Amino acid sequence: MLAARTASRPMQQLRPAAAVAHTTSNMPLLPACKPAGRRRHAACRAAGDEQQPGTSVQPQQQQPQVPPLLSRDDDGNFEVDRSAIENFLRPPAEELPEDIEMPIWDHLEELRERVLVALLAAGIAIGGCFCFSKELVLFLEAPVADAGVRFLQLSPGEFFFTTFKVAGYSGLLLSAPTVLYEIIAYVVPGLTKAERKFLAPIVFGSSILFYIGLLFSYEILTPAALNFFVSYAEGAVESLWSIDQYFQFVLVLMLSTGLSFQVPIIQIMLGQLGIVNSTQMFSLWRYVVVGSTVVAAVLTPSTDPFTQALLAIPLVGLYMGGAGVVRFIEQGKAKAAPA
């Protein structure tokens, strides 16, 4: 009986294993999908399960993943996107005028020599100022000399140590050009051609603004603050001031004012490096007003609002002036650029 059933069935043709494997390898791998109904899987719709019967599904070619620091140019080639900070830290080789490589020990040796020269210049300047310390003390007492203020030495040796302090500050100011030159000479070989072009105006402008800040503090800010204190105490107490605390007030105020006058230089450097443009600078004027008030409150040794306003108002003006210079430079570059 079993043999008869087997004989009554038609013989089935068996396909070779190689042909089966070849057919299977050409078939696209589709996710398991339901044959009917609306609740089909999203992967089925993406793979195209609604194709016509008898048509084959072509596998989708995946686009090559592009790293975030690469982009395609007009010819379809990959190129590296270099930000402004990366260009500043690692400029292209063609922008460097000198192809000089030095080992790290030669860099350290040159740095040691330039630091020694700067320290020697500062030491000589401080020693020379100490020889004329009494003349410097009288010069710094001039803003309140006509206000009836008398200075006292409240402890033994107070005036002696105060002359050291005055000589130290004055010597650092006199030796600042030499120290600045040593710093520039050390970093110039690593600058690009474009950076060297605006280096000299930046250094010259920074020095001029620093000394203008010192002059502004000595002629306007310091007399206004001290006369305010004298007039406020008039009729109640006699103005007998400690010589050490007076010079600490005056010297800190002058130094902080000179440093705060470097705001336009910082703006120009940021604009040249492409980090911030003039439009962004002008859009932050509200924050600049608040920030200048806070900076003036921190830098000025006094707590009266009058002295703080005398420093905050020039800071806002310097910031706006620096933003204007950056816009002027941007307009000059736009005109010089080829159409």
Side-chain angles (χ1 to χ4, degrees):
M1 182 68 70
L2 180 60
R5 290 181 180 177
T6 306
S8 63
R9 291 183 178 180
M11 297 297 292
Q12 296 180 355
Q13 299 294 330
L14 300 178
R15 301 174 64 181
V20 174
H22 177 71
T23 306
T24 308
S25 61
N26 291 333
M27 294 178 63
L29 297 178
L30 297 177
C33 306
K34 294 183 179 181
R38 296 183 178 179
R39 297 182 179 179
R40 289 174 296 178
H41 198 273
C44 301
R45 296 193 300 268
D49 59 320
E50 295 181 354
Q51 74 277 9
Q52 298 295 330
T55 59
S56 60
V57 179
Q58 297 295 332
Q60 296 181 355
Q61 296 181 357
Q62 296 182 355
Q63 297 293 331
Q65 297 294 330
V66 180
L69 293 180
L70 297 179
S71 62
R72 292 182 182 271
D73 56 7
D74 297 335
D75 299 332
N77 301 321
F78 290 126
E79 61 180 2
V80 180
D81 290 336
R82 300 173 62 91
S83 61
I85 298 178
E86 186 180 0
N87 287 330
F88 174 72
L89 296 177
R90 301 182 62 183
E94 61 272 10
E95 295 185 6
L96 296 175
E98 300 176 3
D99 189 10
I100 301 176
E101 294 185 0
M102 296 175 60
I104 185 62
W105 301 112
D106 292 344
H107 282 288
L108 295 177
E109 181 67 22
E110 182 183 1
L111 179 62
R112 185 181 67 87
E113 293 177 358
R114 297 197 180 279
V115 169
L116 289 177
V117 172
L119 292 177
L120 181 62
I124 294 175
I126 291 174
C129 291
F130 183 75
C131 297
F132 300 95
S133 57
K134 290 187 178 180
E135 288 77 4
L136 290 174
V137 168
L138 295 177
F139 175 76
L140 294 176
E141 290 178 353
V144 289
D146 300 332
V149 178
R150 293 191 300 170
F151 298 97
L152 299 177
Q153 184 176 218
L154 301 180
S155 62
E158 181 179 356
F159 179 73
F160 176 76
F161 293 109
T162 301
T163 54
F164 269 109
K165 186 181 298 185
V166 174
Y169 277 98
S170 303
L172 290 177
L173 293 178
L174 292 178
S175 62
T178 304
V179 175
L180 188 61
Y181 170 78
E182 295 297 330
I183 296 175
I184 294 174
Y186 180 74
V187 301
V188 157
L191 299 180
T192 62
K193 298 177 182 178
E195 291 171 348
R196 292 188 181 188
K197 289 181 180 180
F198 72 87
L199 178 63
I202 287 293
V203 174
F204 180 75
S206 175
S207 303
I208 294 298
L209 286 177
F210 181 77
Y211 288 110
I212 289 177
L214 294 180
L215 182 62
F216 173 79
S217 177
Y218 180 80
E219 294 290 341
I220 299 177
L221 191 59
T222 301
L226 296 177
N227 289 326
F228 171 80
F229 293 143
V230 172
S231 61
Y232 185 81
E234 187 177 1
V237 295
E238 186 177 359
S239 297
L240 302 174
W241 293 351
S242 169
I243 188 67
D244 180 66
Q245 295 181 2
Y246 170 78
F247 282 111
Q248 182 177 356
F249 175 89
V250 173
L251 294 175
V252 170
L253 184 59
M254 292 179 63
L255 183 61
S256 60
T257 306
L259 293 177
S260 63
F261 271 53
Q262 303 298 309
V263 172
I265 302 300
I266 298 175
Q267 292 177 262
I268 295 174
M269 293 179 63
L270 294 177
Q272 289 292 323
L273 295 176
I275 299 176
V276 184
N277 55 34
S278 59
T279 304
Q280 294 173 340
M281 292 180 185
F282 280 115
S283 64
L284 298 175
W285 67 270
R286 298 179 180 85
Y287 301 98
V288 172
V289 173
V290 178
S292 300
T293 305
V294 175
V295 170
V298 173
L299 293 181
T300 53
S302 61
T303 57
D304 63 293
F306 181 71
T307 306
Q308 297 175 8
L310 286 178
L311 182 58
I313 294 174
L315 285 179
V316 176
L318 288 170
Y319 180 86
M320 294 300 177
V325 173
V326 173
R327 174 161 294 183
F328 177 78
I329 295 175
E330 292 174 352
Q331 293 176 354
K333 289 183 178 180
K335 293 179 180 179

